[in-house]
Amino acid sequence: MLDQYLQADSPYVKVFLASMRYAAPILAAIILLRCCWPLLTFRREPEIWAMLRLPNGKRLPITHWENIIGRHRRCDVLIDLPTVAKTHAVLTRYDDGSWTITDTGTKSGLRVNGKREDICALEREDVISIGGVDLVFEPISEPHVAKLAKLRTRASSGTQSIANLLLQSLLQSLSGLAFLLGGADAMPILLGYGGIMVLEWLLLIFYQMIHRPAFEVETLAFLLCTMGMAAICAVKPGESVKQLIALVLGLLIFLAVGWSMRDLERAKKMRYVAAVAGVGLLAATLVFGREYYGAKNWLVIGPLSIQPSELAKVCYVYVGASVMDRLTNKRNLISFITYTLIICGCLALMNDFGTAMIFFVAFLMIAYMRSGSVGTIALAITALGFAGVIALKLAPHALQRFSSWRHIWDDPLGAGYQQTRALMCIASGGLFGLGIGNGWMKNLFAADSDMVFATLSEEWGMVMPLLLVLTIVALAIFTVRTAFVSRSSFYTIGSCTAAAIFLVQTMFNVLGTLDVLPLTGVTFPFVSNGGSSMMCAWGLLAFIKAADTRKSASFAVRANDRRDSDE
């Protein structure tokens, strides 16, 4: 009797599959709203770590672990006097609660208790003299900090996180069932969807064990992974296991990067390891890599193939993130620019210009957050323009993509074949899609990677992929909000750069499919089929998670930190 109801031509199955066209985007929208609400509405109360007392009795709060003191309007501690340099000194707090102050190389210098210092450890009631202004240093005691921390908005409770994940598990179960009832091979579907469900619940249980119940960021990432698995099951179901393995490795990278940032001093040292690893990955590709479609960007090791440039993105963000006492050091900035030139030079030799564009965006974000200079960014963009012209002359395959841009309908059976078909499939899908397994896009090359937006639009409707784009946008907005109250510039620069990479990759992938931008072969984070891309996306997500200052949210805050306790 049950088999009769589960036949593909059964009216019950047809009703279920038809209803999934509307139920899936509704469930996804509910999950997105429930996760985004606490991310986008939390209050941004700063944490106060110390005070600087002026001679007139006024007290200036210190709200970060690194604070620039000067007369520039962007300084954390503003002293608007002509005797004070624009960026005069950097006040730094360390993990053990100790403080130092560093002169940035100013002419008038820095004095502590009347003695000229370049860098000096600070104690309570020390007198800091900057440009003739005396500031008395008053660190906040731990009980006081804990009391202030209670004013901060909590992240979602464990109950809310469980409820969100139950909704997501329902979406995953219904989607997997729809594939099975549609006649798909059972094993890839069960392994793909079942594997994601097991992993997300295991991660949530781990968070509960370490008393970090906030799971909104991870839930959104798993939502993207779920829809990516849907595209793989529709196009190449045999690769669902490979993508699941990449997801496991991505989670391990996510936790490893998060662990490294639990101790800021350890994170600073890890920057050098990341720098060597990033260059090493690209150098190995240049020597041993294989060329596909004009770009030598793959390493093949037995049955495994990886794209090292994806993993190098995580290393690059790690190197670019830095603390204020290093940001104000010009030699350090020059070293970072040199490192960027080496990375981009390797990518140019590999003819991987799509990835080079992503690295350049990361460089722009880091350079602006380091210098705050619009002129520097304008100069960098101008240099990119000249480099781009030269690259197009030297790389015929890149020039071919640009030559067909905005002219795909001039040659719909040749250079414009993929994009013209993708546009027609998107149009045929409408708002709620043709239904799981009913799409034609799966016959196209890269339908589950470069063209994944069109694949999802055709079978699931335009609403679903737009929700996925909004998910990336929500993560970016949350990152900007946390940047205002981030404890360290290391977390701020790392998270903002990671969010910028997510946004730009999504923009290139989606708008490239729609022929608004040239088709560059850039992946949709968490969604496109690709093990290296999946591992990179989770590695970058760790920077966003580490910057979360909400109570009981970030794994970058130690569990024994009294500021994050419930006392």
Side-chain angles (χ1 to χ4, degrees), residues 168-176 193 196-197 200 222 226:
Q168 185 140 286
S169 296
L170 176 61
L171 172 62
Q172 292 160 345
S173 300
L174 293 177
S175 300
Y193 279 97
I196 293 178
M197 292 173 65
E200 62 191 8
F222 278 115
T226 298

Side-chain angles (χ1 to χ4, degrees), residues 191-413:
L191 288 175
Y193 279 97
I196 293 178
M197 292 173 65
V198 170
L199 289 174
E200 62 191 8
W201 280 104
L202 286 176
L203 186 61
L204 179 60
I205 292 171
F206 171 70
Y207 275 19
Q208 298 285 351
M209 292 172 61
I210 63 173
H211 307 292
R212 294 292 180 269
F215 205 68
E216 303 97 344
V217 170
E218 293 80 358
T219 301
L220 292 178
F222 278 115
L223 174 62
L224 294 168
C225 292
T226 298
M227 296 314 302
M229 187 62 70
I232 293 172
C233 290
V235 180
K236 299 177 182 177
E239 296 194 4
S240 61
V241 176
K242 185 194 75 172
Q243 191 73 347
L244 184 63
I245 294 173
L247 176 55
V248 173
L249 295 175
L251 285 172
L252 293 176
I253 294 174
F254 172 74
L255 294 174
V257 174
W259 169 83
S260 71
M261 290 188 286
R262 285 173 64 85
D263 186 326
L264 194 55
E265 294 307 305
R266 178 173 58 206
K268 295 175 189 177
K269 296 174 183 177
M270 289 295 293
R271 292 173 67 251
Y272 301 104
V273 177
V276 174
V279 174
L281 285 169
L282 296 182
T285 309
L286 281 174
V287 177
F288 304 106
R290 292 189 183 181
E291 182 175 322
Y292 293 99
Y293 310 106
K296 187 179 180 180
N297 57 358
W298 288 93
L299 274 181
V300 179
I301 306 172
L304 301 177
S305 60
I306 62 171
Q307 193 172 352
S309 58
E310 290 290 327
L311 301 178
K313 293 176 187 175
V314 181
C315 298
Y316 185 78
V317 174
Y318 216 122
V319 174
S322 190
V323 291
M324 286 296 180
D325 56 352
R326 293 183 60 85
L327 293 182
T328 55
N329 188 321
K330 291 183 179 179
R331 186 177 66 178
N332 181 53
L333 182 58
I334 293 173
S335 299
F336 176 66
I337 293 174
T338 303
Y339 180 76
T340 302
L341 291 175
I342 294 172
I343 292 290
C344 291
C346 291
L347 291 171
L349 292 174
M350 293 159 53
N351 287 333
D352 193 355
F353 295 104
T355 304
M357 281 293 298
I358 302 302
F359 273 91
F360 184 73
V361 169
F363 168 75
L364 291 182
M365 176 62 69
I366 294 170
Y368 177 74
M369 297 191 74
R370 281 172 170 261
S371 65
S373 171
V374 177
T376 301
I377 303 306
L379 181 63
I381 293 175
T382 303
L384 174 67
F386 285 108
V389 172
I390 296 173
L392 290 177
K393 293 292 184 181
L394 299 177
H397 77 283
L399 181 61
Q400 182 180 2
R401 289 187 175 185
F402 275 88
S403 64
S404 62
W405 175 42
R406 306 297 296 168
H407 297 286
I408 57 175
W409 294 102
D410 295 343
D411 187 13
L413 299 179

Side-chain angles (χ1 to χ4, degrees), residues 18-251:
S19 64
M20 273 296 296
R21 297 171 54 201
Y22 306 97
I26 290 173
L27 275 173
I30 293 173
I31 294 167
L32 179 60
L33 287 173
R34 286 181 58 88
C35 291
C36 287
W37 184 256
L39 294 179
L40 305 183
T41 60
F42 73 94
R43 295 174 297 170
R44 298 178 294 180
E45 299 93 343
E47 299 170 302
I48 300 177
W49 301 95
M51 292 285 185
L52 292 177
R53 190 173 72 242
L54 293 169
N56 60 6
K58 182 179 178 182
R59 304 169 79 202
L60 304 176
I62 303 300
T63 58
H64 303 284
W65 285 355
E66 298 106 21
N67 303 267
I68 294 182
I69 304 174
R71 61 181 170 86
H72 195 280
R73 60 185 178 85
R74 291 194 183 95
C75 289
D76 301 289
V77 180
L78 178 62
I79 304 177
D80 192 11
L81 292 174
T83 55
V84 178
K86 289 185 177 180
T87 56
H88 202 113
V90 178
L91 183 63
T92 306
R93 182 190 186 276
Y94 298 93
D95 290 310
D96 60 1
S98 62
W99 292 81
T100 63
I101 189 164
T102 307
D103 181 39
T104 60
T106 58
K107 293 181 179 180
S108 58
L110 167 71
R111 293 183 180 275
V112 178
N113 297 325
K115 182 180 178 181
R116 180 72 179 260
E117 301 281 2
D118 291 326
I119 181 171
C120 179
L122 292 177
E123 301 292 340
R124 181 178 295 276
E125 298 299 319
D126 279 350
V127 179
I128 305 168
S129 299
I130 295 178
V133 178
D134 290 338
L135 304 168
V136 179
F137 178 65
E138 299 178 350
I140 298 291
S141 62
E142 283 297 326
H144 191 190
V145 174
K147 183 178 179 181
L148 289 174
K150 286 188 177 182
L151 297 176
R152 290 186 287 138
T153 303
R154 273 183 172 273
S156 293
S157 65
T159 303
Q160 292 170 315
S161 297
I162 291 173
N164 292 339
L165 211 52
L166 284 172
L167 285 172
Q168 185 140 286
S169 296
L170 176 61
L171 172 62
Q172 292 160 345
S173 300
L174 293 177
S175 300
L177 180 60
F179 271 107
L180 295 176
L181 293 178
D185 188 7
M187 189 57 66
I189 305 301
L190 294 176
L191 288 175
Y193 279 97
I196 293 178
M197 292 173 65
V198 170
L199 289 174
E200 62 191 8
W201 280 104
L202 286 176
L203 186 61
L204 179 60
I205 292 171
F206 171 70
Y207 275 19
Q208 298 285 351
M209 292 172 61
I210 63 173
H211 307 292
R212 294 292 180 269
F215 205 68
E216 303 97 344
V217 170
E218 293 80 358
T219 301
L220 292 178
F222 278 115
L223 174 62
L224 294 168
C225 292
T226 298
M227 296 314 302
M229 187 62 70
I232 293 172
C233 290
V235 180
K236 299 177 182 177
E239 296 194 4
S240 61
V241 176
K242 185 194 75 172
Q243 191 73 347
L244 184 63
I245 294 173
L247 176 55
V248 173
L249 295 175
L251 285 172

